[in-house]
Amino acid sequence: MAEGQRKGHMDLTILLQTVLAGVLVGGLYGLIGMGMAINFGVLRIINLAQGELLMVGMYVCYWVFTLWGLDPLLSPVVTIPFLFVLGVVIHRFLLTPLIRARALPENQILLTVGVGLVLTNAALLAFTSNYRTITTSYSASLITLGSIAVSLPAVLAFGIAMLVSSALWLFLMKTDLGKCIRATAQDPDAALLMGVNVERISVITFGIGAALEGAAGSLLVLVYYLFPALGGIFTLKAFIVVVLGGLGSTLGALLGGIVLGLAESLGAVFVSTGYKDAIGFIVFVLMLIFRPAGLVGKARM
Amino acid sequence: MKRMGWISMLAIALVCMATSASVAGEVIKVGLPLPLTGIHAKFGEAIRNAYLLGLEEITAAGGVTKGAFKGSKIELLIEDTTSKPEVARSAVEKLITRDKVPMIVGEYSSSNVFAVAAVADKFQIPYLSQTGAADNITQQGWKWVFRVNQPASEYAGGLQDFLLKVVKPKSMAILFENTLFGTSLSKAVQEWTKEVGIEVTNFEPYEAGAIDFKPMLLKVKAKNPDVMFMVSYLMDAMLLMRQSKELDINPKIFAGGAAGFTMPEFIEGARGAAELVYSATLWAPDVKYKGAREFYDKYYKKYGVHPEYHSTEGYAAAYVLKDVLERTKSLKNEDLREALAATDMLTPFGPVKFEAYKKFINQNRLPTLVVQIQKGKLVTVWPKEFAAADYVYPVPKWAERK
Amino acid sequence: MAARGGKGWRWGGAVLGVAVLLGFPIVVSDVYLQHLAIFFLLWVTLGTSWNLLGGYAGQISFGHAAFFGMGAYTSSLLFAKLGFPPWPGMLLGGVAGILLALPMGHICFRLRGPFFALSMLALSEFLRLVTLNWRDLTEGAVGILLPPFFISKLPYYYIALALAAATMLATWFLVDSKVGFYLLAIREDQDAAEALGIDTTWYKLVALMVSAFFSAMAGSYYANYMAYIDPPIVFSIVDISIAMILVAVLGGMGTLWGPVVGALVIVTLSEAFRAYFAAAHLIVYGVLIIVVIVFMPEGIVGSLAARGPRWLRPRVATDAPGASQG
């Protein structure tokens, strides 16, 4: 009897801890996915270099920490502008000419593949393939709630991811620039007629999409490690997140991220760790079949 | 004066002819395909550096110093195989048919070793593999393929011995990355647990590169096994140990299956959670093989990186190559194969002698070691005859540590 | 008169081309070059089969490795488990590709937009994970090692040549038939095509099945030739799926000869870059992709066709593929 009770308690603890782990990781997935979602909303293309931008963000964070001791939690101050500029440059000099020439969308996507290859391999040449980690004073700290323990960096990363997401939402809803971006996403032709400089908006949006990866990179460093080839893994995750959230919806992406995080962690516990990622894809295909507009329906942005 | 010159030259020529029909002073080119870019670049680089270090020493000491090729220099023709088997194949076909190399060494991943070995065997060119771990590399009946390192299923031999004699566990969790190496080693360990009657509580493959291992670790925690055995590369090993500590999982011992657990970055990246973790390994700098420590120091001095067993394998293979060239009668494939098969020498990686046993042929048979991380350093603790220090056991729980 | 002379040249050129292709491995005995030629032919097959779907029917797939891997695993498992001969197994591999394509097309072609592209990517990743984890059937990550079937490269070469030729001929016939015109209509304006009473889902599905069949055959061929497969190799996103798109886009989407040119450029350049740029070769490769897309958005054949001889121009499209967007 006592044994059974103990076991029941253990199961509940496992469930709670699994859900918590899923949500915490999901918040990061969400932030990574938002960058891709906002790009998709305005440009109508999937940026397959999104993960590589995240990688660049992580290296920037790593170097400002190693060289100047800037805490990763404060490093978004550097990574966000850095990635914004990088995104603007990529769009202005590579994507804009394609869009002006009305190139096929698959050409634009392939272009981002090329950009990703260059970024990954430039990082490989510059920083070698070594794995790097950052250790801060709070790296190994834990928060314990009864029998549940969560690592402090994971909680901090989640919290800041939520802050950045809210800031983005406010920006899109309340500022003029944000309204222009939403108008462009809804109907570029109408926006153009209303006097919105669509080309400029699309450059800025790409910059914001990249900047979000900068922020995500700063946070991911806290719980993960970095190496040049990590982009591909996260491009795929972002991709699933974006579809779950309904293509182009930033709020949906955040939700999609959390759903993906939960699906992965619950799947790992109750099905098999090996199939963990497959569960993500099954959810993905089910979404496509039953709710192609995404979790939050038709609303964009 | 002029006359003297002529006479001395003639004399030298005569002496040369008398000593052997050799081609002294010749350069012997040997093919070295390695993944220098792509996903395995890190290991390709480490192995290349080790070969080059070995070759540099050999050349400084006069190259081939005995036998028919006395005085010859060895040159390694390095080809980047970009971590892809079809490129490995094209590189080796190029080396054999264009550069006419008499022998091939190198490669890293098993999938690429398969590609190289199949070509070498087809062209009947001896191939010395030093890292590829898949068991069936030396089980295919490939007469021309030799291997320096142990097959994957034997990596944990020393650890199994240690478990039986010291820990005497009743249960064990096996977590492994879903790769060829991870799968082969875990399967071998699983079969061994059946033989010796250890219950396997968890048998979990995972996809390398996950952010969060907690769900899987929670399942392990619920079963509370005596041993937690993990086959993981560096980054996963780091996260597994960090998160095991966070979740306060306390088996009698944590044991790694070589790979990531023996790399210096693991100790640093695991942030204290690596302390007292055991691991199977093929080699450690403090192992009592002649030249092991010296190799470690020289490598570190030259490249500023701590070498682990992959590098040592490359360094040892360079010396095996020299030894073979000192014993072969000619550069004909049959003679080289014969010399390779007759190898019996000591290297910093351990003794090298190719044997046929179980289903293997041309396989070097070596014991494997157990290391433990003590005060942030890898220390060889098992088997006793190679141990540099005593093992720390029992291992205190996380909460009881300072 | 002039036109006649041109036609004569064309036939002469065709005969010469066939002679060169058939005679190549006999004249050039260097196995290294033969290996590269085999990979060139394999990429012609893959690029052409992707192009049929992506270039002509306008249905972009980001996960054709799903078919490639399906074919590779089907024939290899049939051989390893049942001893089924591998070359007929190639055909069954192709059939397996079709069986995979059917439900996929049914689900995805009902939807518009990028859903098909994304679902294909998900499908290929899903299959990679299944082959990785279904260890009893597939040996998981350990992969499948097959015995080499021929010592000489000649049989391999001619099989690859036959496969590439069959893929190109199938594309040619299909595109020239009424199916081709329906596909073009769908690519240009799906609503208009539907209004004309074209069963768009069905014709897209036909293109997908043919494309899947040849991609899967190529996968079986790869397994037979390389004699070793494992899930990360045959279900690779970058090395298979993206590379297929690259071959088609680089050469020229919606053109018959585009993938041939694309395959030639990719195979020779990646081999040359590997030798000359060493560690930087993937950067150069990335820059090349960017340069071609920015400066030759219609691909090499597409760009040349605009000013080159008539026979080089896209077979169906009267205007360049890019111009029809928007």
Side-chain angles (χ1 to χ4, degrees), chain B residues 202-219:
Chain B
N202 308 72
F203 189 75
E204 291 274 345
Y206 65 83
E207 185 93 338
I211 301 185
D212 194 12
F213 288 101
K214 283 184 191 147
M216 177 172 80
L217 292 172
L218 285 164
K219 281 206 279 191

Side-chain angles (χ1 to χ4, degrees), chain B residues 65 106 110 140 164 174 226 245-246 291 303 341 400:
Chain B
T65 54
S110 294
Q140 291 301 112
L164 285 184
I174 301 175
D226 287 345
K245 189 180 170 191
E246 280 171 23
Y303 300 110
E400 294 156 11

Side-chain angles (χ1 to χ4, degrees), chain C residues 17-26 33-41 87 150 152-164 221 225:
Chain C
V18 170
V20 166
L21 284 170
L22 286 175
F24 175 82
I26 300 168
L33 289 179
Q34 289 178 351
H35 174 85
L36 292 185
I38 285 171
F39 263 81
F40 160 68
L41 293 169
W87 296 110
F150 304 111
S152 156
K153 280 204 193 293
L154 288 190
Y156 288 118
Y157 176 86
Y158 288 113
I159 294 169
L161 183 61
L163 185 59
Y221 176 86
Y225 176 63

